[in-house]
Amino acid sequence: MQYAIVDIETTGTYAAASGITEISIQVLDADGVVRDRYETLVNPVHQIPGYIQALTGISNGMVATAPLFEAIAEKIYALLQDKVFVAHSVNFDYSFVKSQLQACGYELNTHKLCTVRLSRKLLPGHGSYSLGKLCQALGIGHYNKHRAGGDTDATVALFQLLLQKDTEGHITKSLKKTSKEQALPPNVPKSDFDQLPYTPGVYYFHDDKGKVVYVGKAKNIRYRVSSHFSNNSTGRQRQHFMRYVHHISYEECGTELMAAVKESTEIKRLWPRFNASQKRREELYGIVSYEDQNGYLRLGIDKMVRGKLLLNSFHHLEGAKASLRQLVQDYRLCPRLCFIDEKLVDETMHRLLCGGACEKKEAPERYNGRVLEAMEYLGNLPSFAIVDRGIHHDERSCILVWKGSFYGMGFISGEMQIERAEQLRDQVTPYKENSTITNMLFAYAKRYPSKIIQFDQAS
């Protein structure tokens, strides 16, 4: 067995949109003796950002006359193929090198070893496992930092020490196909992955301070988390996961639907750094009612604010307007007294709908009767429960929609006889509603009617 110790310098943090500016490779035999070495600057065909120039000392001028990667691809491939690819935070270096080789027609498929993960296992107790801090703590010379050659020299010395310390064959175990050790981010303990269940639920990626940076849902938590790390994606998200994730936690849910609901509420609650979808603030609108100075009940639309009583709520203004227009038609209400834009209602339609209330030709008592009917309808929107399997055999999962809005979810006894919606309100955990969840639940109810318990409007 031979090991290829690799370090690269780049123009950015993920391979899909960045290039390599320098590469260094040292080939070691099974005993850790260096048998070959290669090092060169590379023209990345990208401008090097100023802060990276300051960090590495590699300028645009230095790489202008350096070879393109395609000119050295054959040499790089020959050095790496059939070797174990070793690097400090190996997935970063591997993703860049594999991507560049692939663009030149070479398919790199090698085993990987991460010296961060190996150091955590074989050299426990250090406060930091960055290459610089680790070398300083271990007395390893680390010269010419943030240059490929200097960092490779330091990584070689560290790996040679790890080979000596590996008296229980941990390196050999890590190279087995069944091991997920090298696929995980360098700072995530394998025990975090090993505890993940094969069940529906949500999972959380945490940074070094414990803060949640990503929330995901899964039909199978273990498989889904594994998929984030087991491929060689060169995209921004995976590289951010590899760099920033230090801990994985999870919460089991009874069904994939519950997991999707939980994910949505958690994204809104935690606002994780690396979640892109569903991160938008929602303003609630509602239909309101009041009596004007002439005694007529009027309906209108207003924003929902604390303490204001709304007849119904909507996550989008257009939804509230559409609902109000439907009420005007269904209950023959005066468009003007409901603040309907007159451009949307011609004179003929106005006469058909309005009995003269806006001109005081219809008595308030008669007109208000129809308004009260419309208000009663709004107060009796459908309530239903989505009941499915639970986590344990003696329970069922339950998602409650109360008067047209998501109320909450939880688990109920498998023997519970459900007759009224009120029975479930104390059994489930209330959650904050949003438009994604509401749309999801109504679509699910329509698609899977056998899992729905519909309640009478009076319940």
Side-chain angles (χ1 to χ4, degrees):
M1 182 186 298
Q2 289 188 310
Y3 305 96
I5 316 298
V6 183
D7 190 82
I8 60 174
E9 302 301 329
T10 68
T11 63
T13 58
Y14 63 105
S18 307
I20 295 173
T21 59
E22 189 174 37
I23 185 168
S24 175
I25 302 171
Q26 294 189 37
V27 178
L28 280 61
D29 63 19
D31 296 324
V33 178
V34 177
R35 298 300 183 186
D36 200 355
R37 63 176 68 220
Y38 178 75
E39 181 180 332
T40 182
L41 288 168
V42 183
N43 187 334
V45 200
H46 288 268
Q47 288 294 305
I48 305 173
Y51 72 94
I52 292 181
Q53 292 187 53
L55 177 68
T56 64
I58 300 174
S59 66
N60 289 312
M62 290 170 62
V63 298
T65 56
L68 298 173
F69 192 89
E70 62 187 44
I72 60 173
E74 184 178 2
K75 173 72 172 177
I76 299 294
Y77 181 76
L79 285 168
L80 298 179
Q81 187 64 6
D82 300 324
K83 315 288 194 312
V84 178
F85 191 110
V86 183
H88 209 68
S89 297
V90 68
N91 290 298
F92 174 83
D93 300 79
Y94 190 83
S95 68
F96 269 86
V97 175
K98 182 178 176 65
S99 175
Q100 295 274 305
L101 285 172
Q102 196 170 45
C104 299
Y106 297 92
E107 192 62 42
L108 181 67
N109 286 298
T110 67
H111 289 296
K112 298 178 289 182
L113 284 174
C114 176
T115 50
V116 177
R117 298 195 64 81
L118 289 174
S119 297
R120 286 184 179 276
K121 183 72 174 181
L122 301 174
L123 303 170
H126 290 278
S128 171
Y129 285 86
S130 69
L131 185 59
K133 295 288 181 63
L134 200 54
C135 286
Q136 184 179 15
L138 297 171
I140 295 173
H142 187 188
Y143 310 103
N144 209 11
K145 296 179 181 179
H146 303 301
R147 290 295 300 268
D151 287 350
T152 301
D153 286 339
T155 305
V156 166
L158 174 61
F159 186 65
Q160 289 169 334
L161 176 61
L162 293 170
L163 285 172
Q164 296 173 20
K165 294 284 186 180
D166 187 26
T167 57
E168 298 181 3
H170 180 71
I171 290 175
T172 301
K173 294 175 185 175
S174 298
L175 293 174
K176 290 182 178 178
K177 288 184 177 181
T178 55
S179 174
K180 295 289 184 181
E181 189 75 44
Q182 306 308 318
L184 293 172
N187 296 301
V188 172
K190 190 169 183 290
S191 58
D192 278 16
F193 180 80
D194 291 340
Q195 70 176 344
L196 298 176
Y198 298 92
T199 56
V202 293
Y203 54 92
Y204 304 83
F205 293 162
H206 305 256
D207 65 14
D208 57 341
K209 295 180 174 60
K211 184 177 181 180
V212 174
V213 294
Y214 184 81
V215 178
K217 64 175 173 62
K219 184 177 183 179
N220 184 309
I221 297 174
R222 168 99 52 131
Y223 288 164
R224 183 67 186 101
V225 170
S226 178
S227 73
H228 283 297
F229 309 124
S230 59
N231 62 70
N232 293 300
S233 169
T234 58
R236 182 197 300 264
Q237 187 185 66
R238 181 175 185 273
Q239 293 305 320
H240 281 169
F241 288 168
M242 289 295 181
R243 183 176 180 183
Y244 293 106
V245 175
H246 285 243
H247 178 57
I248 302 171
S249 63
Y250 69 92
E251 181 176 336
E252 286 187 84
C253 298
T255 65
E256 190 176 6
L257 177 64
M258 288 186 79
V261 171
K262 181 72 174 179
E263 177 199 43
S264 183
T265 61
E266 291 293 72
I267 289 174
K268 298 288 188 184
R269 181 176 72 88
L270 298 168
W271 216 251
R273 177 178 179 182
F274 297 131
N275 282 94
S277 64
Q278 301 192 48
K279 284 171 67 173
R280 63 182 186 278
R281 302 291 183 187
E282 290 188 348
E283 287 190 310
L284 284 176
Y285 296 87
I287 296 176
V288 297
S289 172
Y290 69 93
E291 184 177 312
D292 67 17
Q293 60 185 5
N294 296 313
Y296 291 93
L297 287 176
R298 307 190 69 168
L299 299 181
I301 295 171
D302 203 352
K303 285 185 180 180
M304 179 177 282
V305 296
R306 189 182 297 275
K308 182 178 291 184
L309 182 62
L310 303 181
L311 300 176
N312 199 7
S313 62
F314 301 85
H315 292 276
H316 302 286
L317 179 59
E318 287 307 313
K321 289 180 177 179
S323 181
L324 183 56
R325 288 196 295 269
Q326 192 64 48
L327 288 176
V328 167
Q329 292 184 35
D330 291 347
Y331 293 92
R332 294 177 32 253
L333 306 181
C334 175
R336 291 174 186 168
L337 294 187
C338 293
F339 302 97
I340 300 295
D341 188 344
E342 293 193 15
K343 295 178 182 177
L344 302 176
V345 183
D346 60 28
E347 191 61 33
T348 301
M349 180 62 70
H350 185 274
R351 284 197 301 270
L352 289 173
L353 294 173
C354 177
C358 57
E359 298 176 348
K360 302 179 187 178
K361 294 179 179 179
E362 182 180 17
E365 294 78 9
R366 184 174 178 180
Y367 176 77
N368 291 348
R370 299 198 301 278
V371 177
L372 290 172
E373 289 179 10
M375 293 169 62
E376 183 179 1
Y377 167 78
L378 287 178
N380 287 286
L381 291 175
S383 294
F384 61 88
I386 301 173
V387 179
D388 207 335
R389 66 183 182 277
I391 298 174
H392 307 292
H393 67 88
D394 58 347
E395 67 183 11
R396 290 177 291 172
S397 63
C398 178
I399 301 174
L400 178 61
V401 173
W402 177 263
K403 296 184 177 180
S405 297
F406 170 56
Y407 178 83
M409 64 182 184
F411 299 94
I412 59 175
S413 168
E415 298 178 356
M416 181 179 178
Q417 298 298 314
I418 305 171
E419 297 176 353
R420 296 176 297 107
E422 285 86 352
Q423 286 178 269
L424 299 175
R425 294 186 70 180
D426 293 332
Q427 298 289 322
V428 301
T429 301
Y431 282 87
K432 191 172 182 179
E433 182 207 25
N434 63 61
S435 59
T436 300
I437 294 175
T438 299
N439 293 338
M440 184 193 313
L441 296 182
F442 273 89
Y444 189 92
K446 185 176 181 180
R447 186 176 180 184
Y448 299 102
S450 63
K451 296 181 179 181
I452 307 304
I453 298 177
Q454 195 80 44
F455 300 108
D456 292 337
Q457 302 234 340
S459 73

